Amino acid sequence: MAREGRKCKEESVLPQAVFFLLACYPAVVVHACPIFLFLKEFALTNPEKSSTKETERKETEEELEPKILEVFHPTHEWQALRPGQAVPAGSHVRLNLQTGAREVKLHDEDKFQTNLKGLKKGKRLDINTNTYTSQDLKNALAKFKEGAEMENSKEDQERQAKVKRLFRPIEELKKDFEELNVVIETDMQIMVRLINKFNSSSSSLEEKIAALFDLEYYVHQMDNAQDLLSFGGLQVVINGLNSTEPLVKEYAAFVLGAAFSSNPKVQVEAIEGGALQKLLVILATEQPLTTKKKALFALCSLLRHFPYAQQQFLKLGGLQVLRSLVQEKGMEVLAVRVVTLLYDLVTEKMFAEEDAELTWDMSPKRLQQYRQVHLLPSLQEQGWCEITAHLLALPEHDAREKVLQTLGALLATCRDRFHQDTQLHRTLGTLQAEYQALAALELQEGEDEGYFRELLDSIDSLLTELR
């Protein structure tokens, strides 16, 4: 290595400024040859006048020949470093530009104090350039990785052994289930079995209802609801709405409502399969309250976020069906749900048009479908301004809240009707006094923005708009 270092220096011209690198790393002087070759073309000295300096460098190299070099013991003051002296790790080294000598002093940080204590005790540092070669480092790193892999493999083996103790392989479980006559089924297989049970003429009413009840659990998942289409199960359930048994209608609507929810593919298939017409028939005819509840639930799931279904709903006279339902005696619970549905449809269309204007994210076809849903004019023509206003007399606070929201959404369309409705003004005045007292009690209890305060703000805002 030393001979190669001398040959390298004989073929290159070292600029004086590069001595700073030697000063910082004197222990690895023979490894710096490639740097000299690289800097040959950028030397600051004149090659023709550098023969004397080359002779001096050769003499310096001969002094560095021994493998055991003298260790320089630095102090906290700068001291000159003679050629051939080794500098302890962590020392400060600099090149004095005035004298041209290298100077060394102790490092100020605490992390080098251990090394310095050992040096002060008279220990010498053996400099052997062959001690740590690149191959040595590679071998050490390979052994380190091998040890880490062995340790990880041991941990994995222990973990796998623990899992095996806790759980049994699926093959063994299947074998045991076969011996017990128990078959492991996928969701698809279960739904097929339930549909077959429901559609079988040999099944009793209780078995049909149980099949629909279990099926509703599976179709809550979007993928399962879409799989219901693949084998015609959705149409079988839709046909169940024609049953003469109210319970079958009720649970069939229950399954459909779960399958329609936020599932456009199923919603489209339901419209094509005649689900909308059948649901409106149930709501328009004499049926038990529980059956109408489930039918209204399915209708709401079908109409929300589906403008094409909303168009068909208006064409089929859906608003007239809901108006008759709301005005029917004993259907106050359904009246609140109907008002909530109307509020959702009105605000959904409004937000869709605003989003299309601001973000341009909505497809033109879908926006055109929303614009073809003429809901507000139909509500005004069929008397929903007055119907909604009269529902404000319901005693439940939750029902009043939903009616107030709907009145606010209909305000732009029904302003003239609201102005002329004296009963609405009296009801709003009565509710204002009631909620002022309730809001004051909330304030005494430390609730600045309580529930009754919000209701009072809605009433105050509506009265302000109607003045």
Side-chain angles (χ1 to χ4, degrees):
M1 293 294 292
R3 287 195 298 273
E4 292 177 2
R6 288 197 299 273
K7 181 180 178 182
C8 178
K9 290 182 179 296
E10 290 172 359
E11 294 176 356
S12 63
V13 179
L14 178 66
Q16 184 175 358
V18 182
F19 271 104
F20 180 73
L21 295 174
L22 293 175
C24 294
Y25 306 98
V28 291
V29 62
V30 288
H31 298 291
C33 296
I35 299 177
F36 302 154
L37 291 173
F38 177 77
L39 296 174
K40 180 177 179 179
E41 298 180 359
F42 302 94
L44 299 179
T45 59
N46 189 339
E48 298 178 357
K49 298 179 182 181
S50 60
S51 59
T52 304
K53 295 180 180 180
E54 290 179 1
T55 303
E56 294 176 356
R57 284 196 296 274
K58 290 178 182 179
E59 295 174 355
T60 303
E61 291 172 359
E62 293 175 356
E63 295 176 359
L64 293 176
E65 279 283 334
K67 294 183 179 180
I68 304 301
L69 302 181
E70 178 186 355
V71 179
F72 180 80
H73 299 282
T75 64
H76 289 285
E77 301 295 333
W78 290 108
Q79 299 182 61
L81 182 68
R82 296 195 307 274
Q85 290 183 316
V87 179
S91 302
H92 272 302
V93 182
R94 73 178 182 183
L95 178 65
N96 193 324
L97 299 179
Q98 295 180 350
T99 63
R102 288 178 295 168
E103 298 179 347
V104 186
K105 76 168 187 176
L106 290 176
H107 199 286
D108 295 331
E109 296 184 8
D110 295 335
K111 65 180 180 178
F112 300 107
Q113 296 303 317
T114 304
N115 294 335
L116 296 178
K117 289 179 181 179
L119 294 173
K120 289 180 180 179
K121 293 180 180 179
K123 295 182 180 179
R124 295 179 59 84
L125 179 64
D126 293 338
I127 304 299
N128 188 346
T129 57
N130 295 322
T131 301
Y132 297 107
T133 64
S134 60
Q135 188 60 40
D136 292 337
L137 294 175
K138 290 180 181 179
N139 294 337
L141 183 59
K143 291 181 180 180
F144 175 77
K145 289 182 177 180
E146 182 179 354
E149 291 175 357
M150 291 178 62
E151 183 177 354
N152 291 337
S153 63
K154 291 180 180 179
E155 293 178 356
D156 292 339
Q157 292 175 359
E158 293 177 357
R159 189 181 302 107
Q160 292 176 3
K162 183 178 180 180
V163 171
K164 289 180 179 180
R165 290 194 300 270
L166 294 176
F167 304 100
R168 299 172 59 192
I170 186 63
E171 291 77 12
E172 293 184 9
L173 292 175
K174 287 183 177 179
K175 185 177 180 181
D176 291 345
F177 282 135
E178 289 176 0
E179 294 177 356
L180 296 172
N181 294 325
V182 177
V183 180
I184 299 177
E185 297 178 300
T186 63
D187 286 358
M188 180 75 163
Q189 293 171 332
I190 293 173
M191 290 191 298
V192 170
R193 177 171 55 80
L194 293 175
I195 287 293
N196 290 335
K197 175 65 72 175
F198 169 70
N199 201 35
S200 175
S201 58
S202 61
S203 298
S204 64
L205 178 61
E206 291 75 12
E207 291 175 333
K208 290 176 181 287
I209 299 304
L212 290 174
F213 182 81
D214 292 340
L215 184 62
E216 188 271 341
Y217 169 79
Y218 288 97
V219 298
H220 270 290
Q221 298 184 28
M222 182 178 293
D223 294 340
N224 286 342
Q226 294 179 3
D227 289 340
L228 196 65
L229 306 176
S230 62
F231 61 92
L234 182 68
Q235 190 60 51
V236 172
V237 180
I238 292 174
N239 293 338
L241 297 175
N242 293 329
S243 174
T244 56
E245 293 288 344
L247 276 177
V248 174
K249 293 180 180 179
E250 177 183 342
Y251 280 91
F254 190 35
V255 172
L256 293 175
F260 295 160
S261 183
S262 302
N263 203 330
K265 186 175 180 179
V266 179
Q267 288 175 322
V268 171
E269 293 291 335
I271 287 291
E272 295 179 356
L276 179 59
Q277 295 91 325
K278 291 178 173 58
L279 291 172
L280 291 177
V281 169
I282 293 175
L283 293 173
T285 57
E286 186 176 353
Q287 302 289 339
L289 177 60
T290 55
T291 303
K292 290 193 173 185
K293 279 184 179 180
K294 293 299 189 295
L296 184 58
F297 162 65
L299 178 66
C300 293
S301 298
L302 181 60
L303 296 182
R304 286 190 175 98
H305 306 292
F306 191 12
Y308 178 74
Q310 296 171 20
Q311 296 176 34
Q312 299 303 312
F313 169 76
L314 295 178
K315 289 179 181 179
L316 293 172
L319 286 179
Q320 293 92 322
V321 173
L322 295 183
R323 182 179 62 187
S324 300
L325 182 66
V326 168
Q327 293 175 340
E328 187 177 346
K329 188 176 181 180
M331 295 293 174
E332 289 79 7
V333 176
L334 298 184
V336 176
R337 298 186 183 188
V338 169
V339 168
T340 304
L341 171 63
L342 297 179
Y343 171 78
D344 291 342
L345 297 181
V346 170
T347 55
E348 178 186 319
K349 179 182 178 181
M350 179 180 64
F351 291 147
E353 293 179 347
E354 290 180 355
D355 290 343
E357 294 177 0
L358 296 176
T359 63
W360 300 93
D361 289 340
M362 184 172 297
S363 64
K365 183 178 179 180
R366 187 172 179 81
L367 179 61
Q368 185 64 26
Q369 289 178 347
Y370 271 113
R371 288 176 176 171
Q372 292 176 358
V373 179
H374 306 296
L375 180 61
L376 286 174
S378 300
L379 290 173
Q380 184 183 30
E381 291 173 3
Q382 298 182 29
W384 279 97
C385 298
E386 294 79 6
I387 293 172
T388 307
H390 294 166
L391 290 175
L392 197 59
L394 292 173
E396 295 84 7
H397 298 299
D398 181 66
R400 293 172 180 175
E401 178 187 10
K402 291 179 171 60
V403 173
L404 285 171
Q405 290 176 344
T406 308
L407 290 175
L410 297 176
L411 183 60
T413 302
C414 301
R415 186 182 298 273
D416 294 338
R417 303 286 182 92
F418 291 162
H419 268 297
Q420 299 171 5
D421 193 338
T422 56
Q423 182 180 350
L424 174 61
H425 286 270
R426 288 196 300 269
T427 304
L428 287 174
T430 303
L431 294 178
Q432 185 182 42
E434 178 181 350
Y435 286 117
Q436 282 177 346
L438 294 174
L441 293 176
E442 283 183 332
L443 188 60
Q444 292 177 3
E445 295 175 357
E447 298 183 19
D448 296 338
E449 299 293 335
Y451 176 70
F452 297 121
R453 177 76 253 179
E454 294 178 0
L455 292 179
L456 179 60
D457 291 341
S458 298
I459 295 172
D460 292 342
S461 176
L462 191 57
L463 284 173
T464 301
E465 292 289 339
L466 296 178
R467 288 174 183 171

